[in-house]
């Protein structure tokens, strides 16, 4: 009786089966497999260890591993679900799934809240919102006086901070986002519908100041 030999496929550390990830995310099994090929390519750009490091994340976005970007750093930190300084394959797929067109609005709202919750305290304070506004302006090469920035922050809190405790909690943020859908327009990437044809999504550079679209009246 002959022996059958099964070729063992070596996967990156932290690899998770495509069937599981497809079940838990908006991607199909085929798309998860394509994402693994993309993940492998990125994770071997500099360190060649099967994880995406911050420098590799920066390089794939800006072609420069030393270029620091506020939003690239923030998105990297949120993709790094375990908080161990690297992005594993499962984290990569689950995080990208948030930006899929089929992902629910509530999941996108929650992720957007976490982007603004810089201290990871479960609420957004004035200083965090101001820091985000200043970063958005800087990314857009726009300049506004400090008075105008303070007005943006004041008006946002006036509309979002429903219980007037000087903090925006997740439920308040949810109501605020639903009244101001422009806040979520960068949370959906249509080309994730066909990930087999897509490059790594450069969504980091797409955030912009949307204060002129907020309904303050």
């Amino acid at each position: 009786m002959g022996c059958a030999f099964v070729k063992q496929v070596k996967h990156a550390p932290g690899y998770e089966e495509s069937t599981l990830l497809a079940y838990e995310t908006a991607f199909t099994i085929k798309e998860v497999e394509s994402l693994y090929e993309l993940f492998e390519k990125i994770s071997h750009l500099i360190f060649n260890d099967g994880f995406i490091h911050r420098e590799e994340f920066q390089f794939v976005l800006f072609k420069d591993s030393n270029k620091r970007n506020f939003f690239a750093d923030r998105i990297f930190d949120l993709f790094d679900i375990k908080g161990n300084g690297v992005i594993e394959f499962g984290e990569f797929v689950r995080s990208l799934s948030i930006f899929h067109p089929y992902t629910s609005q509530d999941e996108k709202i929650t992720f957007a809240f976490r982007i603004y919750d810089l201290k990871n305290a479960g609420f957004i304070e004035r200083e965090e919102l101001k820091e985000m506004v200043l970063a958005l302006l800087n990314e857009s090469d726009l300049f506004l006086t400090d008075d105008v920035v303070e007005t943006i922050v004041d008006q946002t809190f006036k509309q979002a901070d429903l219980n007037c405790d000087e903090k925006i909690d997740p439920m308040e943020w949810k109501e605020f986002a639903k009244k101001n859908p422009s806040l979520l327009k960068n949370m959906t990437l249509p080309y994730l519908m066909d990930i087999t044809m897509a490059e790594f999504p450069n969504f980091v550079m797409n955030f912009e100041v949307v204060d002129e679209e907020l309904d303050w009246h």
Side-chain angles (χ1 to χ4, degrees):
M1 182 175 178
C3 295
F5 292 93
V6 178
K7 184 179 179 181
Q8 296 295 317
V9 179
K10 185 177 180 180
H11 292 297
Y15 174 80
E16 296 182 50
E17 291 294 333
S18 56
T19 50
L20 173 65
L21 291 172
Y23 177 76
E24 293 184 354
T25 68
F27 296 113
T28 65
I29 293 176
K30 183 178 180 181
E31 288 168 339
V32 172
E33 291 171 348
S34 295
L35 283 172
Y36 184 70
E37 293 179 14
L38 180 59
F39 178 86
E40 279 281 272
K41 186 185 301 182
I42 298 170
S43 65
H44 287 75
L45 283 174
I46 300 174
F47 294 98
N48 196 30
D49 62 358
F51 300 110
I52 296 178
H53 293 252
R54 193 179 299 272
E55 293 87 344
E56 291 166 326
F57 196 77
Q58 299 279 3
F59 183 84
V60 80
L61 289 172
F62 309 115
K63 308 304 179 188
D64 182 352
S65 61
N66 294 315
K67 179 180 174 64
R68 301 310 297 265
N69 176 279
F70 181 90
F71 291 103
D73 279 338
R74 190 71 190 126
I75 295 298
F76 180 91
D77 290 340
L78 293 178
F79 274 39
D80 175 19
I81 297 170
K82 294 181 180 178
N84 57 357
V86 294
I87 299 173
E88 299 178 5
F89 178 58
E91 295 173 322
F92 182 70
V93 176
R94 290 185 177 90
S95 298
L96 274 183
S97 181
I98 298 295
F99 297 85
H100 196 286
Y102 288 163
T103 297
S104 71
Q105 183 187 60
D106 283 350
E107 288 182 80
K108 295 178 187 292
I109 289 174
T110 297
F111 193 89
F113 176 86
R114 293 176 62 210
I115 293 175
Y116 281 78
D117 179 16
L118 300 178
K119 297 178 182 177
N120 300 318
F123 48 81
I124 301 168
E125 298 178 322
R126 280 181 171 272
E127 285 306 309
E128 291 174 304
L129 180 59
K130 183 176 180 178
E131 186 173 348
M132 285 292 294
V133 171
L134 291 173
L136 289 165
L137 291 170
N138 182 60
E139 292 300 319
S140 304
D141 292 323
L142 296 174
F143 173 78
L144 296 178
T145 65
D146 195 55
D147 286 345
V148 174
V149 172
E150 288 292 343
T151 297
I152 293 172
V153 173
D154 287 344
Q155 294 292 345
T156 300
F157 263 78
K158 181 179 179 181
Q159 185 179 146
D161 181 18
L162 301 179
N163 62 4
C164 302
D165 65 351
E166 292 297 302
K167 295 181 290 189
I168 301 172
D169 64 39
M171 290 305 298
E172 290 173 329
W173 175 264
K174 184 176 181 179
E175 292 302 313
F176 180 64
K178 287 184 175 180
K179 292 177 182 177
N180 297 280
S182 59
L183 290 171
L184 301 178
K185 67 180 180 180
N186 295 312
M187 295 299 300
T188 298
L189 302 175
Y191 45 86
L192 288 180
M193 291 286 290
D194 189 10
I195 194 63
T196 58
M197 302 296 292
E199 297 291 332
F200 182 70
N202 193 1
F203 51 83
V204 173
M205 301 301 290
N206 291 332
F207 284 94
E208 56 191 70
V209 179
V210 293
D211 58 282
E212 72 276 5
E213 300 179 32
L214 299 181
D215 182 11
W216 291 347
H217 307 291

